[in-house]
Amino acid sequence: MKRTVGVLVCLCGLGCGGGGTPTRAVVPPTPTPVPSRPIVLRDGATGSIVDQLAPQLPGSRFSASRAGYLPRTATFRGDDAFLWPQDQGYVTALVYTAPDGKTYGMGRWMKSPVVVGAPDDPRTLAAVQRSVDEVAAAAGIAMTVVPGVGDITVEVDAGAGFPSDRTIAFTRWEEWSGLEMRRVRIVFRSNNDLVDNRKALCGNVLLHELGHALGFFGHSTEGRELMAAFCSRGDNDTFGESEKLALRMMYRYRLPGNLAPDTEPEGTRAVAAAHPLQVE
Ligand SMILES: [Zn+2]
């Protein structure tokens, strides 16, 4: 934040009292003291106040560790701090850990709306619209669907180089800047799985891939959740409450580049992943 301090110039001309030579006094600006204030800690799910930290100056770093929340380290900007009320192992696996086993800074979209392109066929577009509406509501962001190419492009291409015979679809993060998502591809082997019809191998794979496209680099450690790595027809075909909460925390209270378990990088040295990443 940039604050401009106005320079007070006192032009003391005639009428300044005394009849001598008019003088012109320049009063140097008095720096406005920035008051330190307590940091109110709130629950990221409910918004209710959890605790508060001793007064600090805006611009300074703070750390807060409270039972039931991820340990938070960030720069104080005069705002309340919203703590992430989830298990550290769960969030680290789902949000930060890519299939190469490495943890990355949080990747997420900043632009609005996020445009999803899909094959120009009425049934396919309708199926994509349903899943996009669901993931957009879960994250609390605006998303639209168009035929063809989008920020996220969904396509069917059986020859796209699937990592294994058992892979139904994959998501590829192709372009980002400082871990802000710029371009993502979701590729299905078969249109049956894309539109989730009777011949689909597994429930709602598109919603699973859209979860990856919005920034879940990894998978849920809860076996039957939608973002679990393996699936069967009987599994959940919508996001679980934990998955929705993770998406909301990412999009409402955190920025791209946030580091596991819940640390805001200092300054602007958010590091971009150097290569495209891919997940099934
Ligand atoms: Zn996956």
Side-chain angles (χ1 to χ4, degrees), residues 203-258:
N204 219 340
V205 176
L206 178 56
L207 191 58
H208 176 103
E209 300 304 327
L210 285 168
H212 285 314
L214 285 205
F216 287 152
F217 284 161
H219 287 109
S220 170
T221 49
E222 299 296 321
R224 297 188 74 84
E225 281 197 323
L226 185 72
M227 290 310 299
F230 300 97
C231 70
S232 67
R233 250 304 178 185
D235 286 351
N236 290 344
D237 61 3
T238 185
F239 288 123
E241 289 307 313
S242 299
E243 293 165 326
K244 286 187 198 169
L245 178 54
L247 268 178
R248 269 202 306 280
M249 287 304 301
M250 290 167 68
Y251 276 89
R252 195 159 172 195
Y253 299 121
R254 298 297 182 264
L255 291 170
N258 199 60

Side-chain angles (χ1 to χ4, degrees), residues 48-133:
S48 59
I49 294 177
V50 174
D51 203 348
Q52 68 175 35
L53 300 177
Q56 279 190 216
L57 289 173
S60 62
R61 297 282 283 178
F62 72 92
S63 290
S65 283
R66 295 293 182 278
Y69 299 92
L70 304 184
R72 175 68 172 155
T73 300
T75 300
F76 179 44
R77 297 192 175 79
D79 302 327
D80 296 351
F82 287 81
L83 300 183
W84 192 315
Q86 288 193 285
D87 175 73
Q88 188 169 325
Y90 177 87
V91 174
T92 300
L94 179 61
V95 175
Y96 297 99
T97 309
D100 59 8
K102 295 180 187 161
T103 58
Y104 290 86
M106 179 184 292
R108 47 152 284 187
W109 296 86
M110 293 295 282
K111 79 180 289 263
S112 181
V114 177
V115 178
V116 180
D120 190 3
D121 157 69
R123 239 173 102 246
T124 307
L125 285 170
V128 170
Q129 185 74 57
R130 278 196 301 278
S131 291
V132 164
D133 287 347

